[in-house]
């Protein structure tokens, strides 16, 4: 133990000094450690629909347009899927949805660098996630929540899982930014 302490002591001293160069952060943490607990530790709080709903904004077409009416119905299908996922009836957890959309299975302690976006495509296709830009694109023609659930479930399952920068199954994935990006039928 003593040998290990001396081998890494200079790194610890450098780390502590670095934290104090940023607004005396280390001193603040030491004075009120409970205040910083959530920032420096992983919480196991389950995602809820409202947590995800607070994260995204919708890129709507102009009010009164035919596209806007279709987009409202497609968004209804998405939100019905998210609510059902929270309830456990879809077979897809909200952390898998968030991972598909952003590449992160949980909300970072300081949040995402920008809001998540919902965009709409004009051609019938599987939902597409651009994880680097935090954009989920869904077809504006979705009007049946069950059809939407089936389609997005396939998209998420076919997109695979993160393994470092490797993705499986590769035959069904279009990779952008080394993350899960889109699934094509």
């Amino acid at each position: 133990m003593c040998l290990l302490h001396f081998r890494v002591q200079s790194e610890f001293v450098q780390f502590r000094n670095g934290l104090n160069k940023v607004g005396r952060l280390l001193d603040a943490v030491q004075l009120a450690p409970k205040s910083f607990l959530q920032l420096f530790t992983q919480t196991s709080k389950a995602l809820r629909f409202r947590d995800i709903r607070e994260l995204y904004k919708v890129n709507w077409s102009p009010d009164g347009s035919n596209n806007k009416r279709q987009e409202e119905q497609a968004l209804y299908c998405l939100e019905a899927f998210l609510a059902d996922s929270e309830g456990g009836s879809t077979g897809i957890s909200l952390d898998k949805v968030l991972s598909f959309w952003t590449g992160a299975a949980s909300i970072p302690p300081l949040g995402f660098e920008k809001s998540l976006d919902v965009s709409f495509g004009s051609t019938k296709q599987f939902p597409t996630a651009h994880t680097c830009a935090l954009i989920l694109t869904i077809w504006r023609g979705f009007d049946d929540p069950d059809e939407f659930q089936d389609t997005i479930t396939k998209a998420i399952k076919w997109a695979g899982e993160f393994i470092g920068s490797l993705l499986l199954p590769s035959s069904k994935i279009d990779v952008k930014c080394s993350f899960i990006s889109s699934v094509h039928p």
Side-chain angles (χ1 to χ4, degrees):
M1 173 78 175
C2 189
L3 179 61
L4 178 64
H5 174 75
F6 289 115
R7 293 180 86 182
V8 295
Q9 181 181 12
S10 64
E11 287 82 3
F12 280 122
V13 169
Q14 183 180 8
F15 180 69
R16 293 171 55 111
N17 291 340
L19 285 175
N20 271 331
K21 284 184 180 180
V22 182
R24 309 226 26 102
L25 179 61
L26 179 62
D27 292 343
V29 170
Q30 288 175 328
L31 287 173
K34 289 184 180 179
S35 300
F36 291 90
L37 189 62
Q38 186 176 2
L39 180 64
F40 291 111
T41 59
Q42 176 71 23
T43 60
S44 59
K45 182 180 115 180
L47 278 175
R48 297 177 60 185
F49 167 61
R50 74 172 182 214
D51 298 331
I52 292 180
R53 180 62 190 103
E54 291 172 357
L55 294 174
Y56 67 84
K57 66 180 180 59
V58 180
N59 298 319
W60 298 108
S61 293
D63 286 339
S65 68
N66 288 335
N67 284 346
K68 175 79 180 267
R69 283 190 289 280
Q70 290 179 319
E71 291 166 359
E72 288 171 342
Q73 188 60 37
L75 184 68
Y76 169 77
C77 292
L78 172 64
E79 291 185 342
F81 171 75
L82 293 173
D84 289 347
S85 292
E86 178 182 10
S89 64
T90 65
I92 300 290
S93 63
L94 287 177
D95 62 327
K96 288 208 181 290
V97 174
L98 189 65
S99 181
F100 175 76
W101 193 338
T102 68
S106 62
I107 300 170
L110 297 177
F112 291 99
E113 65 183 54
K114 68 179 207 78
S115 67
L116 282 59
D117 290 323
V118 176
S119 294
F120 301 94
S122 58
T123 57
K124 188 170 185 172
Q125 65 184 36
F126 278 82
T128 306
H130 304 276
T131 57
C132 293
L134 305 178
I135 298 172
L136 178 66
T137 304
I138 58 177
W139 175 51
R140 72 171 48 95
F142 280 116
D143 60 1
D144 177 15
D146 293 330
E147 178 188 3
F148 180 83
Q149 177 179 325
D150 182 54
T151 305
I152 196 166
T153 298
K154 287 177 185 173
I156 292 169
K157 286 182 176 179
W158 290 351
E161 298 286 334
F162 284 96
I163 303 174
S165 62
L166 300 175
L167 302 168
L168 301 172
S170 61
S171 63
K172 300 198 189 268
I173 298 175
D174 176 22
V175 179
K176 293 179 177 68
C177 301
S178 298
F179 294 111
I180 299 171
S181 296
S182 65
V183 178
H184 301 284

PDB file of all heavy atoms in Angstrom, residues 52-88:
ATOM      1  N   ILE A  52     -37.339  12.381 -20.187  1.00  0.00           N
ATOM      2  CA  ILE A  52     -36.965  12.466 -21.600  1.00  0.00           C
ATOM      3  C   ILE A  52     -37.730  13.596 -22.280  1.00  0.00           C
ATOM      4  O   ILE A  52     -37.168  14.354 -23.067  1.00  0.00           O
ATOM      5  CB  ILE A  52     -37.191  11.115 -22.307  1.00  0.00           C
ATOM      6  CG1 ILE A  52     -36.187  10.092 -21.762  1.00  0.00           C
ATOM      7  CG2 ILE A  52     -37.042  11.270 -23.823  1.00  0.00           C
ATOM      8  CD1 ILE A  52     -36.281   8.728 -22.369  1.00  0.00           C
ATOM      9  N   ARG A  53     -39.001  13.753 -21.949  1.00  0.00           N
ATOM     10  CA  ARG A  53     -39.817  14.796 -22.577  1.00  0.00           C
ATOM     11  C   ARG A  53     -39.235  16.186 -22.321  1.00  0.00           C
ATOM     12  O   ARG A  53     -39.304  17.067 -23.167  1.00  0.00           O
ATOM     13  CB  ARG A  53     -41.277  14.724 -22.075  1.00  0.00           C
ATOM     14  CG  ARG A  53     -42.194  15.775 -22.664  1.00  0.00           C
ATOM     15  CD  ARG A  53     -42.281  15.601 -24.183  1.00  0.00           C
ATOM     16  NE  ARG A  53     -42.935  16.700 -24.830  1.00  0.00           N
ATOM     17  CZ  ARG A  53     -42.313  17.674 -25.500  1.00  0.00           C
ATOM     18  NH1 ARG A  53     -40.997  17.704 -25.586  1.00  0.00           N
ATOM     19  NH2 ARG A  53     -42.995  18.611 -26.094  1.00  0.00           N
ATOM     20  N   GLU A  54     -38.652  16.397 -21.166  1.00  0.00           N
ATOM     21  CA  GLU A  54     -38.055  17.689 -20.839  1.00  0.00           C
ATOM     22  C   GLU A  54     -36.773  17.955 -21.638  1.00  0.00           C
ATOM     23  O   GLU A  54     -36.316  19.089 -21.717  1.00  0.00           O
ATOM     24  CB  GLU A  54     -37.751  17.768 -19.346  1.00  0.00           C
ATOM     25  CG  GLU A  54     -38.997  17.829 -18.484  1.00  0.00           C
ATOM     26  CD  GLU A  54     -38.704  17.719 -16.998  1.00  0.00           C
ATOM     27  OE1 GLU A  54     -37.529  17.540 -16.615  1.00  0.00           O
ATOM     28  OE2 GLU A  54     -39.669  17.793 -16.216  1.00  0.00           O
ATOM     29  N   LEU A  55     -36.197  16.917 -22.235  1.00  0.00           N
ATOM     30  CA  LEU A  55     -34.927  17.055 -22.940  1.00  0.00           C
ATOM     31  C   LEU A  55     -35.063  17.464 -24.403  1.00  0.00           C
ATOM     32  O   LEU A  55     -34.122  17.980 -24.983  1.00  0.00           O
ATOM     33  CB  LEU A  55     -34.156  15.731 -22.900  1.00  0.00           C
ATOM     34  CG  LEU A  55     -33.664  15.251 -21.549  1.00  0.00           C
ATOM     35  CD1 LEU A  55     -33.047  13.860 -21.688  1.00  0.00           C
ATOM     36  CD2 LEU A  55     -32.668  16.226 -20.962  1.00  0.00           C
ATOM     37  N   TYR A  56     -36.198  17.202 -25.037  1.00  0.00           N
ATOM     38  CA  TYR A  56     -36.258  17.421 -26.480  1.00  0.00           C
ATOM     39  C   TYR A  56     -37.191  18.548 -26.894  1.00  0.00           C
ATOM     40  O   TYR A  56     -38.112  18.918 -26.183  1.00  0.00           O
ATOM     41  CB  TYR A  56     -36.606  16.131 -27.231  1.00  0.00           C
ATOM     42  CG  TYR A  56     -37.966  15.541 -27.036  1.00  0.00           C
ATOM     43  CD1 TYR A  56     -39.056  15.987 -27.771  1.00  0.00           C
ATOM     44  CD2 TYR A  56     -38.163  14.491 -26.157  1.00  0.00           C
ATOM     45  CE1 TYR A  56     -40.308  15.413 -27.616  1.00  0.00           C
ATOM     46  CE2 TYR A  56     -39.398  13.905 -25.992  1.00  0.00           C
ATOM     47  CZ  TYR A  56     -40.476  14.379 -26.728  1.00  0.00           C
ATOM     48  OH  TYR A  56     -41.706  13.803 -26.569  1.00  0.00           O
ATOM     49  N   LYS A  57     -36.858  19.070 -28.061  1.00  0.00           N
ATOM     50  CA  LYS A  57     -37.725  20.046 -28.710  1.00  0.00           C
ATOM     51  C   LYS A  57     -38.074  19.487 -30.085  1.00  0.00           C
ATOM     52  O   LYS A  57     -37.375  18.637 -30.621  1.00  0.00           O
ATOM     53  CB  LYS A  57     -37.077  21.424 -28.803  1.00  0.00           C
ATOM     54  CG  LYS A  57     -35.860  21.524 -29.692  1.00  0.00           C
ATOM     55  CD  LYS A  57     -35.312  22.937 -29.690  1.00  0.00           C
ATOM     56  CE  LYS A  57     -34.105  23.116 -30.554  1.00  0.00           C
ATOM     57  NZ  LYS A  57     -34.245  22.801 -31.943  1.00  0.00           N
ATOM     58  N   VAL A  58     -39.171  19.962 -30.627  1.00  0.00           N
ATOM     59  CA  VAL A  58     -39.684  19.438 -31.886  1.00  0.00           C
ATOM     60  C   VAL A  58     -39.485  20.479 -32.977  1.00  0.00           C
ATOM     61  O   VAL A  58     -39.785  21.659 -32.782  1.00  0.00           O
ATOM     62  CB  VAL A  58     -41.184  19.077 -31.750  1.00  0.00           C
ATOM     63  CG1 VAL A  58     -41.723  18.522 -33.055  1.00  0.00           C
ATOM     64  CG2 VAL A  58     -41.385  18.088 -30.607  1.00  0.00           C
ATOM     65  N   ASN A  59     -38.952  20.043 -34.106  1.00  0.00           N
ATOM     66  CA  ASN A  59     -38.762  20.927 -35.271  1.00  0.00           C
ATOM     67  C   ASN A  59     -40.011  20.821 -36.149  1.00  0.00           C
ATOM     68  O   ASN A  59     -40.077  19.982 -37.039  1.00  0.00           O
ATOM     69  CB  ASN A  59     -37.500  20.528 -36.041  1.00  0.00           C
ATOM     70  CG  ASN A  59     -36.257  20.676 -35.191  1.00  0.00           C
ATOM     71  OD1 ASN A  59     -36.114  21.632 -34.444  1.00  0.00           O
ATOM     72  ND2 ASN A  59     -35.365  19.710 -35.275  1.00  0.00           N
ATOM     73  N   TRP A  60     -40.979  21.677 -35.881  1.00  0.00           N
ATOM     74  CA  TRP A  60     -42.272  21.643 -36.563  1.00  0.00           C
ATOM     75  C   TRP A  60     -42.240  22.340 -37.909  1.00  0.00           C
ATOM     76  O   TRP A  60     -41.486  23.286 -38.107  1.00  0.00           O
ATOM     77  CB  TRP A  60     -43.346  22.349 -35.733  1.00  0.00           C
ATOM     78  CG  TRP A  60     -43.653  21.769 -34.401  1.00  0.00           C
ATOM     79  CD1 TRP A  60     -43.322  22.297 -33.185  1.00  0.00           C
ATOM     80  CD2 TRP A  60     -44.377  20.575 -34.114  1.00  0.00           C
ATOM     81  NE1 TRP A  60     -43.795  21.508 -32.174  1.00  0.00           N
ATOM     82  CE2 TRP A  60     -44.449  20.438 -32.717  1.00  0.00           C
ATOM     83  CE3 TRP A  60     -44.972  19.603 -34.911  1.00  0.00           C
ATOM     84  CZ2 TRP A  60     -45.097  19.378 -32.095  1.00  0.00           C
ATOM     85  CZ3 TRP A  60     -45.623  18.546 -34.300  1.00  0.00           C
ATOM     86  CH2 TRP A  60     -45.676  18.435 -32.913  1.00  0.00           C
ATOM     87  N   SER A  61     -43.130  21.923 -38.793  1.00  0.00           N
ATOM     88  CA  SER A  61     -43.422  22.663 -40.021  1.00  0.00           C
ATOM     89  C   SER A  61     -44.303  23.850 -39.632  1.00  0.00           C
ATOM     90  O   SER A  61     -44.821  23.906 -38.516  1.00  0.00           O
ATOM     91  CB  SER A  61     -44.165  21.764 -41.016  1.00  0.00           C
ATOM     92  OG  SER A  61     -43.322  20.736 -41.469  1.00  0.00           O
ATOM     93  N   PRO A  62     -44.519  24.797 -40.551  1.00  0.00           N
ATOM     94  CA  PRO A  62     -45.346  25.980 -40.220  1.00  0.00           C
ATOM     95  C   PRO A  62     -46.759  25.580 -39.783  1.00  0.00           C
ATOM     96  O   PRO A  62     -47.328  24.598 -40.270  1.00  0.00           O
ATOM     97  CB  PRO A  62     -45.383  26.771 -41.534  1.00  0.00           C
ATOM     98  CG  PRO A  62     -44.170  26.327 -42.280  1.00  0.00           C
ATOM     99  CD  PRO A  62     -43.939  24.901 -41.894  1.00  0.00           C
ATOM    100  N   ASP A  63     -47.308  26.364 -38.856  1.00  0.00           N
ATOM    101  CA  ASP A  63     -48.681  26.133 -38.387  1.00  0.00           C
ATOM    102  C   ASP A  63     -49.655  26.151 -39.549  1.00  0.00           C
ATOM    103  O   ASP A  63     -49.530  26.949 -40.476  1.00  0.00           O
ATOM    104  CB  ASP A  63     -49.092  27.214 -37.379  1.00  0.00           C
ATOM    105  CG  ASP A  63     -48.437  27.017 -36.033  1.00  0.00           C
ATOM    106  OD1 ASP A  63     -48.013  25.885 -35.737  1.00  0.00           O
ATOM    107  OD2 ASP A  63     -48.337  28.005 -35.273  1.00  0.00           O
ATOM    108  N   GLY A  64     -50.653  25.271 -39.484  1.00  0.00           N
ATOM    109  CA  GLY A  64     -51.700  25.220 -40.490  1.00  0.00           C
ATOM    110  C   GLY A  64     -51.357  24.387 -41.717  1.00  0.00           C
ATOM    111  O   GLY A  64     -52.223  24.121 -42.546  1.00  0.00           O
ATOM    112  N   SER A  65     -50.114  23.965 -41.843  1.00  0.00           N
ATOM    113  CA  SER A  65     -49.722  23.177 -43.017  1.00  0.00           C
ATOM    114  C   SER A  65     -50.150  21.719 -42.848  1.00  0.00           C
ATOM    115  O   SER A  65     -50.371  21.244 -41.730  1.00  0.00           O
ATOM    116  CB  SER A  65     -48.213  23.263 -43.249  1.00  0.00           C
ATOM    117  OG  SER A  65     -47.518  22.597 -42.213  1.00  0.00           O
ATOM    118  N   ASN A  66     -50.279  21.014 -43.975  1.00  0.00           N
ATOM    119  CA  ASN A  66     -50.585  19.583 -43.915  1.00  0.00           C
ATOM    120  C   ASN A  66     -49.483  18.831 -43.185  1.00  0.00           C
ATOM    121  O   ASN A  66     -49.746  17.876 -42.452  1.00  0.00           O
ATOM    122  CB  ASN A  66     -50.780  19.016 -45.323  1.00  0.00           C
ATOM    123  CG  ASN A  66     -52.076  19.476 -45.948  1.00  0.00           C
ATOM    124  OD1 ASN A  66     -53.022  19.822 -45.249  1.00  0.00           O
ATOM    125  ND2 ASN A  66     -52.113  19.498 -47.271  1.00  0.00           N
ATOM    126  N   ASN A  67     -48.243  19.238 -43.413  1.00  0.00           N
ATOM    127  CA  ASN A  67     -47.123  18.582 -42.737  1.00  0.00           C
ATOM    128  C   ASN A  67     -47.245  18.693 -41.228  1.00  0.00           C
ATOM    129  O   ASN A  67     -46.967  17.740 -40.498  1.00  0.00           O
ATOM    130  CB  ASN A  67     -45.790  19.178 -43.193  1.00  0.00           C
ATOM    131  CG  ASN A  67     -45.382  18.714 -44.568  1.00  0.00           C
ATOM    132  OD1 ASN A  67     -45.928  17.757 -45.105  1.00  0.00           O
ATOM    133  ND2 ASN A  67     -44.427  19.408 -45.155  1.00  0.00           N
ATOM    134  N   LYS A  68     -47.661  19.860 -40.731  1.00  0.00           N
ATOM    135  CA  LYS A  68     -47.770  20.064 -39.279  1.00  0.00           C
ATOM    136  C   LYS A  68     -48.793  19.103 -38.681  1.00  0.00           C
ATOM    137  O   LYS A  68     -48.549  18.513 -37.627  1.00  0.00           O
ATOM    138  CB  LYS A  68     -48.160  21.513 -38.988  1.00  0.00           C
ATOM    139  CG  LYS A  68     -48.436  21.830 -37.519  1.00  0.00           C
ATOM    140  CD  LYS A  68     -47.168  22.020 -36.725  1.00  0.00           C
ATOM    141  CE  LYS A  68     -47.415  22.327 -35.265  1.00  0.00           C
ATOM    142  NZ  LYS A  68     -47.485  23.695 -34.904  1.00  0.00           N
ATOM    143  N   ARG A  69     -49.923  18.906 -39.360  1.00  0.00           N
ATOM    144  CA  ARG A  69     -50.935  17.974 -38.845  1.00  0.00           C
ATOM    145  C   ARG A  69     -50.379  16.549 -38.790  1.00  0.00           C
ATOM    146  O   ARG A  69     -50.605  15.823 -37.821  1.00  0.00           O
ATOM    147  CB  ARG A  69     -52.197  18.039 -39.706  1.00  0.00           C
ATOM    148  CG  ARG A  69     -53.040  19.273 -39.412  1.00  0.00           C
ATOM    149  CD  ARG A  69     -54.395  19.204 -40.090  1.00  0.00           C
ATOM    150  NE  ARG A  69     -54.340  19.360 -41.547  1.00  0.00           N
ATOM    151  CZ  ARG A  69     -54.234  20.528 -42.166  1.00  0.00           C
ATOM    152  NH1 ARG A  69     -54.162  21.642 -41.470  1.00  0.00           N
ATOM    153  NH2 ARG A  69     -54.201  20.587 -43.482  1.00  0.00           N
ATOM    154  N   GLN A  70     -49.641  16.150 -39.821  1.00  0.00           N
ATOM    155  CA  GLN A  70     -49.038  14.814 -39.832  1.00  0.00           C
ATOM    156  C   GLN A  70     -47.971  14.693 -38.744  1.00  0.00           C
ATOM    157  O   GLN A  70     -47.835  13.645 -38.104  1.00  0.00           O
ATOM    158  CB  GLN A  70     -48.425  14.512 -41.199  1.00  0.00           C
ATOM    159  CG  GLN A  70     -49.432  14.306 -42.299  1.00  0.00           C
ATOM    160  CD  GLN A  70     -48.734  14.042 -43.626  1.00  0.00           C
ATOM    161  OE1 GLN A  70     -47.725  14.671 -43.960  1.00  0.00           O
ATOM    162  NE2 GLN A  70     -49.280  13.105 -44.385  1.00  0.00           N
ATOM    163  N   GLU A  71     -47.212  15.757 -38.543  1.00  0.00           N
ATOM    164  CA  GLU A  71     -46.157  15.745 -37.523  1.00  0.00           C
ATOM    165  C   GLU A  71     -46.743  15.630 -36.124  1.00  0.00           C
ATOM    166  O   GLU A  71     -46.179  14.936 -35.267  1.00  0.00           O
ATOM    167  CB  GLU A  71     -45.296  17.001 -37.662  1.00  0.00           C
ATOM    168  CG  GLU A  71     -44.459  17.005 -38.918  1.00  0.00           C
ATOM    169  CD  GLU A  71     -43.841  18.346 -39.267  1.00  0.00           C
ATOM    170  OE1 GLU A  71     -44.071  19.330 -38.532  1.00  0.00           O
ATOM    171  OE2 GLU A  71     -43.140  18.404 -40.289  1.00  0.00           O
ATOM    172  N   GLU A  72     -47.860  16.291 -35.886  1.00  0.00           N
ATOM    173  CA  GLU A  72     -48.517  16.177 -34.579  1.00  0.00           C
ATOM    174  C   GLU A  72     -48.932  14.733 -34.311  1.00  0.00           C
ATOM    175  O   GLU A  72     -48.769  14.226 -33.191  1.00  0.00           O
ATOM    176  CB  GLU A  72     -49.731  17.113 -34.508  1.00  0.00           C
ATOM    177  CG  GLU A  72     -49.346  18.572 -34.408  1.00  0.00           C
ATOM    178  CD  GLU A  72     -50.521  19.523 -34.566  1.00  0.00           C
ATOM    179  OE1 GLU A  72     -51.583  19.104 -35.095  1.00  0.00           O
ATOM    180  OE2 GLU A  72     -50.379  20.694 -34.169  1.00  0.00           O
ATOM    181  N   GLN A  73     -49.435  14.053 -35.326  1.00  0.00           N
ATOM    182  CA  GLN A  73     -49.838  12.655 -35.165  1.00  0.00           C
ATOM    183  C   GLN A  73     -48.617  11.754 -34.953  1.00  0.00           C
ATOM    184  O   GLN A  73     -48.630  10.857 -34.114  1.00  0.00           O
ATOM    185  CB  GLN A  73     -50.647  12.176 -36.373  1.00  0.00           C
ATOM    186  CG  GLN A  73     -51.254  10.812 -36.202  1.00  0.00           C
ATOM    187  CD  GLN A  73     -52.229  10.727 -35.027  1.00  0.00           C
ATOM    188  OE1 GLN A  73     -52.974  11.653 -34.745  1.00  0.00           O
ATOM    189  NE2 GLN A  73     -52.210   9.606 -34.332  1.00  0.00           N
ATOM    190  N   ALA A  74     -47.546  12.008 -35.703  1.00  0.00           N
ATOM    191  CA  ALA A  74     -46.316  11.224 -35.540  1.00  0.00           C
ATOM    192  C   ALA A  74     -45.714  11.442 -34.157  1.00  0.00           C
ATOM    193  O   ALA A  74     -45.233  10.489 -33.523  1.00  0.00           O
ATOM    194  CB  ALA A  74     -45.310  11.576 -36.634  1.00  0.00           C
ATOM    195  N   LEU A  75     -45.743  12.678 -33.674  1.00  0.00           N
ATOM    196  CA  LEU A  75     -45.224  12.953 -32.333  1.00  0.00           C
ATOM    197  C   LEU A  75     -46.084  12.249 -31.280  1.00  0.00           C
ATOM    198  O   LEU A  75     -45.552  11.727 -30.294  1.00  0.00           O
ATOM    199  CB  LEU A  75     -45.163  14.452 -32.043  1.00  0.00           C
ATOM    200  CG  LEU A  75     -44.528  14.781 -30.693  1.00  0.00           C
ATOM    201  CD1 LEU A  75     -43.044  14.429 -30.697  1.00  0.00           C
ATOM    202  CD2 LEU A  75     -44.725  16.241 -30.344  1.00  0.00           C
ATOM    203  N   TYR A  76     -47.387  12.226 -31.500  1.00  0.00           N
ATOM    204  CA  TYR A  76     -48.259  11.485 -30.590  1.00  0.00           C
ATOM    205  C   TYR A  76     -47.821  10.014 -30.526  1.00  0.00           C
ATOM    206  O   TYR A  76     -47.744   9.425 -29.438  1.00  0.00           O
ATOM    207  CB  TYR A  76     -49.730  11.578 -31.026  1.00  0.00           C
ATOM    208  CG  TYR A  76     -50.610  10.614 -30.278  1.00  0.00           C
ATOM    209  CD1 TYR A  76     -51.006  10.882 -28.974  1.00  0.00           C
ATOM    210  CD2 TYR A  76     -51.006   9.413 -30.861  1.00  0.00           C
ATOM    211  CE1 TYR A  76     -51.791   9.976 -28.268  1.00  0.00           C
ATOM    212  CE2 TYR A  76     -51.793   8.503 -30.171  1.00  0.00           C
ATOM    213  CZ  TYR A  76     -52.178   8.791 -28.871  1.00  0.00           C
ATOM    214  OH  TYR A  76     -52.944   7.886 -28.177  1.00  0.00           O
ATOM    215  N   CYS A  77     -47.509   9.427 -31.684  1.00  0.00           N
ATOM    216  CA  CYS A  77     -47.058   8.023 -31.718  1.00  0.00           C
ATOM    217  C   CYS A  77     -45.753   7.856 -30.944  1.00  0.00           C
ATOM    218  O   CYS A  77     -45.597   6.887 -30.185  1.00  0.00           O
ATOM    219  CB  CYS A  77     -46.884   7.557 -33.165  1.00  0.00           C
ATOM    220  SG  CYS A  77     -48.417   7.419 -34.092  1.00  0.00           S
ATOM    221  N   LEU A  78     -44.820   8.795 -31.111  1.00  0.00           N
ATOM    222  CA  LEU A  78     -43.547   8.737 -30.381  1.00  0.00           C
ATOM    223  C   LEU A  78     -43.794   8.829 -28.879  1.00  0.00           C
ATOM    224  O   LEU A  78     -43.257   8.030 -28.105  1.00  0.00           O
ATOM    225  CB  LEU A  78     -42.605   9.860 -30.829  1.00  0.00           C
ATOM    226  CG  LEU A  78     -41.322  10.029 -30.000  1.00  0.00           C
ATOM    227  CD1 LEU A  78     -40.431   8.800 -30.107  1.00  0.00           C
ATOM    228  CD2 LEU A  78     -40.569  11.285 -30.411  1.00  0.00           C
ATOM    229  N   GLU A  79     -44.607   9.786 -28.460  1.00  0.00           N
ATOM    230  CA  GLU A  79     -44.822   9.971 -27.031  1.00  0.00           C
ATOM    231  C   GLU A  79     -45.618   8.815 -26.425  1.00  0.00           C
ATOM    232  O   GLU A  79     -45.389   8.444 -25.270  1.00  0.00           O
ATOM    233  CB  GLU A  79     -45.467  11.329 -26.764  1.00  0.00           C
ATOM    234  CG  GLU A  79     -44.477  12.449 -27.056  1.00  0.00           C
ATOM    235  CD  GLU A  79     -44.966  13.842 -26.702  1.00  0.00           C
ATOM    236  OE1 GLU A  79     -46.191  14.044 -26.533  1.00  0.00           O
ATOM    237  OE2 GLU A  79     -44.105  14.727 -26.592  1.00  0.00           O
ATOM    238  N   ALA A  80     -46.522   8.225 -27.187  1.00  0.00           N
ATOM    239  CA  ALA A  80     -47.227   7.029 -26.711  1.00  0.00           C
ATOM    240  C   ALA A  80     -46.226   5.889 -26.513  1.00  0.00           C
ATOM    241  O   ALA A  80     -46.292   5.152 -25.523  1.00  0.00           O
ATOM    242  CB  ALA A  80     -48.326   6.625 -27.690  1.00  0.00           C
ATOM    243  N   PHE A  81     -45.274   5.753 -27.455  1.00  0.00           N
ATOM    244  CA  PHE A  81     -44.244   4.720 -27.332  1.00  0.00           C
ATOM    245  C   PHE A  81     -43.379   4.965 -26.097  1.00  0.00           C
ATOM    246  O   PHE A  81     -43.083   4.031 -25.334  1.00  0.00           O
ATOM    247  CB  PHE A  81     -43.375   4.682 -28.594  1.00  0.00           C
ATOM    248  CG  PHE A  81     -42.173   3.801 -28.458  1.00  0.00           C
ATOM    249  CD1 PHE A  81     -42.300   2.424 -28.494  1.00  0.00           C
ATOM    250  CD2 PHE A  81     -40.906   4.343 -28.264  1.00  0.00           C
ATOM    251  CE1 PHE A  81     -41.194   1.599 -28.348  1.00  0.00           C
ATOM    252  CE2 PHE A  81     -39.806   3.531 -28.123  1.00  0.00           C
ATOM    253  CZ  PHE A  81     -39.943   2.151 -28.164  1.00  0.00           C
ATOM    254  N   LEU A  82     -42.968   6.207 -25.875  1.00  0.00           N
ATOM    255  CA  LEU A  82     -42.135   6.517 -24.709  1.00  0.00           C
ATOM    256  C   LEU A  82     -42.889   6.227 -23.410  1.00  0.00           C
ATOM    257  O   LEU A  82     -42.319   5.659 -22.473  1.00  0.00           O
ATOM    258  CB  LEU A  82     -41.676   7.977 -24.757  1.00  0.00           C
ATOM    259  CG  LEU A  82     -40.716   8.348 -25.883  1.00  0.00           C
ATOM    260  CD1 LEU A  82     -40.481   9.851 -25.929  1.00  0.00           C
ATOM    261  CD2 LEU A  82     -39.402   7.599 -25.770  1.00  0.00           C
ATOM    262  N   ALA A  83     -44.153   6.617 -23.345  1.00  0.00           N
ATOM    263  CA  ALA A  83     -44.949   6.343 -22.143  1.00  0.00           C
ATOM    264  C   ALA A  83     -45.121   4.837 -21.928  1.00  0.00           C
ATOM    265  O   ALA A  83     -45.006   4.349 -20.795  1.00  0.00           O
ATOM    266  CB  ALA A  83     -46.312   7.026 -22.256  1.00  0.00           C
ATOM    267  N   ASP A  84     -45.366   4.098 -23.006  1.00  0.00           N
ATOM    268  CA  ASP A  84     -45.494   2.639 -22.887  1.00  0.00           C
ATOM    269  C   ASP A  84     -44.167   2.001 -22.497  1.00  0.00           C
ATOM    270  O   ASP A  84     -44.147   1.005 -21.769  1.00  0.00           O
ATOM    271  CB  ASP A  84     -46.006   2.035 -24.195  1.00  0.00           C
ATOM    272  CG  ASP A  84     -47.465   2.357 -24.472  1.00  0.00           C
ATOM    273  OD1 ASP A  84     -48.164   2.839 -23.550  1.00  0.00           O
ATOM    274  OD2 ASP A  84     -47.911   2.144 -25.620  1.00  0.00           O
ATOM    275  N   SER A  85     -43.064   2.566 -22.972  1.00  0.00           N
ATOM    276  CA  SER A  85     -41.740   2.042 -22.603  1.00  0.00           C
ATOM    277  C   SER A  85     -41.486   2.234 -21.120  1.00  0.00           C
ATOM    278  O   SER A  85     -40.907   1.361 -20.462  1.00  0.00           O
ATOM    279  CB  SER A  85     -40.642   2.732 -23.417  1.00  0.00           C
ATOM    280  OG  SER A  85     -40.734   2.359 -24.766  1.00  0.00           O
ATOM    281  N   GLU A  86     -41.916   3.364 -20.583  1.00  0.00           N
ATOM    282  CA  GLU A  86     -41.772   3.581 -19.142  1.00  0.00           C
ATOM    283  C   GLU A  86     -42.578   2.526 -18.370  1.00  0.00           C
ATOM    284  O   GLU A  86     -42.124   2.018 -17.355  1.00  0.00           O
ATOM    285  CB  GLU A  86     -42.254   4.975 -18.761  1.00  0.00           C
ATOM    286  CG  GLU A  86     -42.164   5.242 -17.262  1.00  0.00           C
ATOM    287  CD  GLU A  86     -42.690   6.598 -16.847  1.00  0.00           C
ATOM    288  OE1 GLU A  86     -43.312   7.297 -17.668  1.00  0.00           O
ATOM    289  OE2 GLU A  86     -42.475   6.943 -15.674  1.00  0.00           O
ATOM    290  N   GLY A  87     -43.744   2.201 -18.888  1.00  0.00           N
ATOM    291  CA  GLY A  87     -44.590   1.199 -18.243  1.00  0.00           C
ATOM    292  C   GLY A  87     -44.126  -0.230 -18.451  1.00  0.00           C
ATOM    293  O   GLY A  87     -44.650  -1.155 -17.851  1.00  0.00           O
ATOM    294  N   GLY A  88     -43.164  -0.440 -19.332  1.00  0.00           N
ATOM    295  CA  GLY A  88     -42.607  -1.770 -19.550  1.00  0.00           C
ATOM    296  C   GLY A  88     -43.351  -2.625 -20.562  1.00  0.00           C
ATOM    297  O   GLY A  88     -43.048  -3.800 -20.707  1.00  0.00           O
TER     298      GLY A  88
END
